[in-house]
Amino acid sequence: MKSFTFIVLAYNHEKYIIEHLESIKYLVQNYADNIEVDLIINDDKSRDLTVYLVNKWLSMNSELFRSVIKIFNNENLGTCKSLLNMINEVKTDSIKITAGDDVYSFENLFL
């Protein structure tokens, strides 16, 4: 079976993170038949409600994923270190990396 990981790097994205996660949800629900999908999300010590919103969204949607890994940094590590920490957790054939203020289109990324 094919496997795929969405990697999300977030920092002070409270205005955008739900729209971003909903765009992932759309892709999983519409195109991920017979694909094991994981989610790895790293918040780089946001000072807003990003972590709260991620946890709230996951409490209602975590069943979409085979695995969910949340990395909430205790200090701001920056993009490169946070990204390396997430990549070290990947256990799938393919990945897609985006920031929490991006939105996926309606195209099938799993092809």
Side-chain angles (χ1 to χ4, degrees):
M1 180 175 282
K2 291 173 64 174
S3 58
F4 188 95
T5 299
F6 286 98
I7 292 180
V8 180
L9 182 60
Y11 178 70
N12 290 338
H13 289 151
E14 73 178 2
K15 293 180 182 178
Y16 316 103
I17 194 67
I18 296 300
E19 184 178 13
H20 176 74
L21 293 170
E22 285 292 315
S23 71
I24 292 173
K25 178 179 177 178
Y26 176 87
L27 294 175
V28 171
Q29 289 178 326
N30 288 283
Y31 302 117
D33 290 340
N34 300 313
I35 300 173
E36 294 178 329
V37 180
D38 295 347
L39 176 68
I40 302 173
I41 186 161
N42 187 133
D43 180 79
D44 199 18
K45 191 66 173 159
S46 290
R47 295 173 299 211
D48 62 6
L49 295 175
T50 301
V51 169
Y52 169 79
L53 293 170
V54 166
N55 282 326
K56 185 175 179 180
W57 188 89
L58 285 171
S59 73
M60 297 178 286
N61 294 286
S62 63
E63 73 283 349
L64 293 168
F65 307 101
R66 175 184 65 175
S67 169
V68 174
I69 297 173
K70 298 183 288 185
I71 304 170
F72 297 152
N73 298 347
N74 293 325
E75 61 181 302
N76 186 283
L77 300 178
T79 303
C80 295
K81 179 69 173 158
S82 294
L83 184 57
L84 287 174
N85 289 339
M86 289 188 290
I87 288 174
N88 287 332
E89 298 292 334
V90 173
K91 296 174 179 51
T92 59
D93 303 320
S94 302
I95 64 173
K96 182 69 176 174
I97 302 168
T98 55
D101 61 349
D102 293 329
V103 176
Y104 286 102
S105 70
F106 296 104
E107 296 176 30
N108 186 352
L109 295 178
F110 303 110
L111 296 176

